[in-house]
Amino acid sequence: MLGSLNQCSVAPQAPKPINSMNYATFNRSISYNLLRRAFPIRAYCTVHSSKGNNLFSRISPVRRADLIIPVLDQWVVEGRKVTSLELQRIVRDLRSRKRFSQALQVSEWMSVSGLCPFKSGDCAVHLDLIGVVHGWEAAECYFNNLTDEQKNDKTYGALFNCYIREGLVEKSLAHFQKMKELGYAYCTLVYNNLMCLYRSTGQLERVSDVLSAMKENGVTPNNFSYRICINCCGERADFSGMEKLLEEMESQPFISVDWITYSMMANVYIKAEFKEKALAFLKKLEDKLHKDPIGYNHLISHYANLGNKEEMLRLWGVQKIVCKKQINRDYITMLGSLVKLGDLETAEAMLKEWESSNHTYDFRVPNVLLIGYCQNGLVDKAEIMLQDIIKKGKTPIPNSWAIIAAGYLNTHKMEKAFECLKEAIAVRAQNPGWRPKPHLVSTISKWLGDQHDTREQEAFLSSLKTVVTVNKDVHDTLGNTEASGIGEKNEIEEIVKL
């Protein structure tokens, strides 16, 4: 398999950045994943950093993709067994965590080691990973070098996903036609992915046509088929069409409508400001929750959007009883909802509850309140809160300082904004993927220039070299900022994404 990829005329390249909309579309076509976020984890620089008793415990901490194969080789050198099921589980776990480069390395090793079978399903996963990491052209080249036996419904489907992820309409449709001719297109997943293509490319009216084609061809729609159609109707403000689809969905004996569908319906009506309709679906949503904490998070967020604090607090109490244990994600949802309603006093009490609950300290939780303070002009209070956390022995992530820097920028306290941004850069190691927003950087740089403090300005720009590409993100942005007037925008939510 490695040879077939190397035969392709694809130059070596760094992992290709994934378009968030296209990847989200692809990810939903596999399963409906919700609220998935990565925690900052430090990189390991040697292959012996973990001495776990199972292969997964050795691979999981390794952050650099080029160190994955040495770990696998070392495992074999130690005389330990490796099985297809174990490697498949590791690849699946890495993919679920969006660690695609590492997953590709495991898959590559599996394909060339000869220690376990590399079946058509493994080949399809490998093809998809090539598409994510290196792009659709590399995936297409890999596919073209497969044997006729390996070119089956699974690998055709994987290449189809690659085209869809990139939004390549003509290639996707041509490939779909080929799959139909070979008899590979008559399954629900393929049609669902075609719906994703039309939705991601803005051809919303064609999504319902795909649903009709499914039925005509004897392909049974599933939950996702109806959900994407309902969502597209909502985006087009076709409320009657949305209701008809839901009625049809509820009438199908092979479909069990869960809380996700009712959450989508409620969300559409909340955005359209049809409060009574929204409340009716929120009641249906709650009836379907059972013990699903993510469902409670969505329900609480919906009531926050309706401005109903009473229901938010009631549901939080119910969630604490039904779900037994609350994790950081649950507190982030509740704190964000309280901040949205401007109830900082209750948010402060909830943060104290979280701090006393012995959860793993995740700065994304207090960051919610920091944003709340800054949005309400209480930037000094936000800084005092962060300093108090530091005094307790916690090292903040750069996002925390960036929130406060943005707050000071909005209140035109440039010296304070500058000091906070320097603090953010100083703790960048806590989240290596962090980047300051260009407008924050360029505005502070311009302010330093206006102070005629060349030495300070040069020192600041030098400190940024490990964080951003100064020529691109600072100098270019300076011109763009002045020309477009984007400095007038509120920076709090622009600077930091939770």
Side-chain angles (χ1 to χ4, degrees):
M1 299 300 170
L2 179 60
S4 63
L5 180 57
N6 289 339
Q7 291 168 15
C8 303
S9 56
V10 179
Q13 55 184 304
K16 176 180 170 292
I18 305 166
N19 179 288
S20 59
M21 177 181 292
N22 288 341
Y23 180 73
T25 298
F26 168 74
N27 200 33
R28 286 194 300 269
S29 72
I30 304 299
S31 62
Y32 202 95
N33 294 315
L34 298 168
L35 215 63
R36 197 184 292 274
R37 293 179 178 181
F39 290 86
I41 303 177
R42 66 186 179 92
Y44 287 73
C45 59
T46 71
V47 300
H48 300 295
S49 294
S50 175
K51 288 291 185 181
N53 291 323
N54 62 69
L55 185 55
F56 177 77
S57 67
R58 290 211 187 169
I59 288 177
S60 182
V62 180
R63 313 309 291 180
R64 283 176 49 185
D66 62 333
L67 294 179
I68 295 291
I69 288 179
V71 170
L72 289 161
D73 289 340
Q74 179 63 31
W75 182 264
V76 174
V77 168
E78 293 173 9
R80 297 174 182 265
K81 293 182 179 180
V82 62
T83 67
S84 295
L85 285 176
E86 185 174 24
L87 291 173
Q88 289 164 354
R89 182 175 66 86
I90 292 170
V91 169
R92 185 165 56 249
D93 181 85
L94 292 171
R95 291 176 81 197
S96 73
R97 299 171 189 271
K98 301 184 182 180
R99 296 172 60 187
F100 302 109
S101 294
Q102 291 93 332
L104 178 58
Q105 290 297 305
V106 176
S107 179
E108 189 69 65
W109 187 88
M110 183 180 176
S111 73
V112 300
S113 67
L115 295 178
C116 46
F118 197 70
K119 299 180 180 179
S120 60
D122 302 312
C123 192
V125 170
H126 191 69
L127 191 156
D128 177 68
L129 286 168
I130 290 171
V132 173
V133 177
H134 296 295
W136 68 268
E137 290 174 309
E140 187 179 74
C141 187
Y142 176 81
F143 176 82
N144 290 338
N145 281 280
L146 294 176
T147 66
D148 290 340
E149 185 180 355
Q150 290 168 330
K151 291 180 180 178
N152 54 24
D153 59 328
K154 293 182 176 64
T155 50
Y156 264 93
L159 184 58
F160 188 48
N161 285 333
C162 291
Y163 292 149
I164 287 173
R165 182 167 50 236
E166 299 288 348
L168 304 173
V169 177
E170 290 185 9
K171 273 191 169 290
S172 298
L173 294 179
H175 193 72
F176 176 70
Q177 184 61 39
K178 180 67 173 177
M179 291 177 70
K180 284 179 68 176
E181 293 169 3
L182 294 171
Y184 296 158
Y186 296 99
C187 71
T188 306
L189 179 60
V190 171
Y191 280 91
N192 286 351
N193 287 341
L194 191 56
M195 290 185 194
C196 291
L197 173 69
Y198 287 133
R199 185 187 175 199
S200 66
T201 55
Q203 301 179 65
L204 303 182
E205 68 284 349
R206 302 197 65 177
V207 173
S208 58
D209 295 338
V210 177
L211 182 64
S212 299
M214 287 180 74
K215 298 172 186 175
E216 291 172 6
N217 291 320
V219 180
T220 304
N222 62 11
N223 264 327
F224 182 74
S225 310
Y226 282 104
R227 282 178 195 151
I228 190 170
C229 289
I230 288 171
N231 206 39
C232 288
C233 284
E235 290 180 33
R236 296 164 55 199
D238 180 7
F239 304 120
S240 62
M242 190 171 68
E243 295 271 4
K244 287 177 182 177
L245 281 167
L246 180 61
E247 289 176 10
E248 180 181 325
M249 186 179 182
E250 291 174 325
S251 69
Q252 301 293 349
F254 52 85
I255 288 181
S256 176
V257 183
D258 59 15
W259 67 263
I260 297 172
T261 304
Y262 293 127
S263 181
M264 290 173 59
M265 296 288 293
N267 188 52
V268 169
Y269 282 124
I270 289 170
K271 288 181 177 179
E273 299 184 356
F274 293 165
K275 184 176 179 179
E276 295 305 316
K277 279 280 192 181
L279 289 172
F281 283 108
L282 290 180
K283 180 64 174 67
K284 289 187 175 185
L285 192 169
E286 185 174 355
D287 290 341
K288 292 282 187 177
L289 282 183
H290 305 302
K291 297 182 180 181
D292 190 329
I294 296 179
Y296 276 99
N297 288 339
H298 278 249
L299 188 54
I300 288 170
S301 296
H302 286 317
Y303 277 112
N305 288 329
L306 288 171
N308 193 330
K309 186 176 75 172
E310 183 179 346
E311 279 298 291
M312 282 167 43
L313 295 174
R314 179 187 69 81
L315 288 163
W316 176 247
V318 174
Q319 182 181 357
K320 291 169 79 172
I321 294 170
V322 172
C323 300
K324 304 298 181 183
K325 183 180 179 181
Q326 281 63 57
I327 62 175
N328 291 335
R329 176 198 63 212
D330 304 321
Y331 280 96
I332 289 172
T333 298
M334 193 62 194
L335 282 167
S337 297
L338 290 167
V339 165
K340 182 186 288 287
L341 299 187
D343 188 353
L344 300 182
E345 184 177 347
T346 306
E348 289 168 350
M350 186 152 297
L351 184 62
K352 289 180 180 178
E353 176 187 315
W354 171 77
E355 289 175 330
S356 65
S357 63
N358 297 319
H359 283 77
T360 301
Y361 206 94
D362 179 356
F363 264 92
R364 293 181 307 163
V365 181
N367 278 0
V368 179
L369 188 53
L370 292 180
I371 288 177
Y373 286 146
C374 291
Q375 286 176 333
N376 286 274
L378 304 173
V379 190
D380 290 330
K381 188 172 183 178
E383 185 177 5
I384 292 170
M385 173 184 151
L386 184 56
Q387 293 286 9
D388 287 343
I389 295 173
I390 294 171
K391 289 175 184 177
K392 295 175 184 177
K394 308 295 182 184
T395 302
I397 56 177
N399 312 60
S400 305
W401 281 112
I403 291 168
I404 301 171
Y408 281 128
L409 187 69
N410 283 341
T411 55
H412 307 293
K413 295 182 178 180
M414 297 304 300
E415 187 170 350
K416 296 285 285 183
F418 174 48
E419 292 301 321
C420 289
L421 183 55
K422 287 199 296 184
E423 293 284 1
I425 295 169
V427 294
R428 185 206 168 202
Q430 299 299 313
N431 182 5
W434 172 78
R435 298 288 184 275
K437 288 292 181 178
H439 179 56
L440 178 63
V441 172
S442 62
T443 303
I444 289 176
S445 179
K446 185 176 185 300
W447 172 78
L448 285 170
D450 292 342
Q451 305 305 304
H452 304 292
D453 191 340
T454 306
R455 181 177 299 178
E456 188 74 73
Q457 186 182 34
E458 288 178 353
F460 173 62
L461 293 177
S462 178
S463 72
L464 286 172
K465 288 181 180 178
T466 59
V467 183
V468 296
T469 304
V470 175
N471 287 339
K472 177 177 175 58
D473 291 344
V474 178
H475 298 306
D476 289 352
T477 309
L478 265 172
N480 292 339
T481 300
E482 292 169 357
S484 63
I486 60 172
E488 298 301 318
K489 295 173 64 177
N490 184 298
E491 278 293 301
I492 298 297
E493 293 184 358
E494 292 294 321
I495 296 290
V496 181
K497 301 296 183 184
L498 282 178

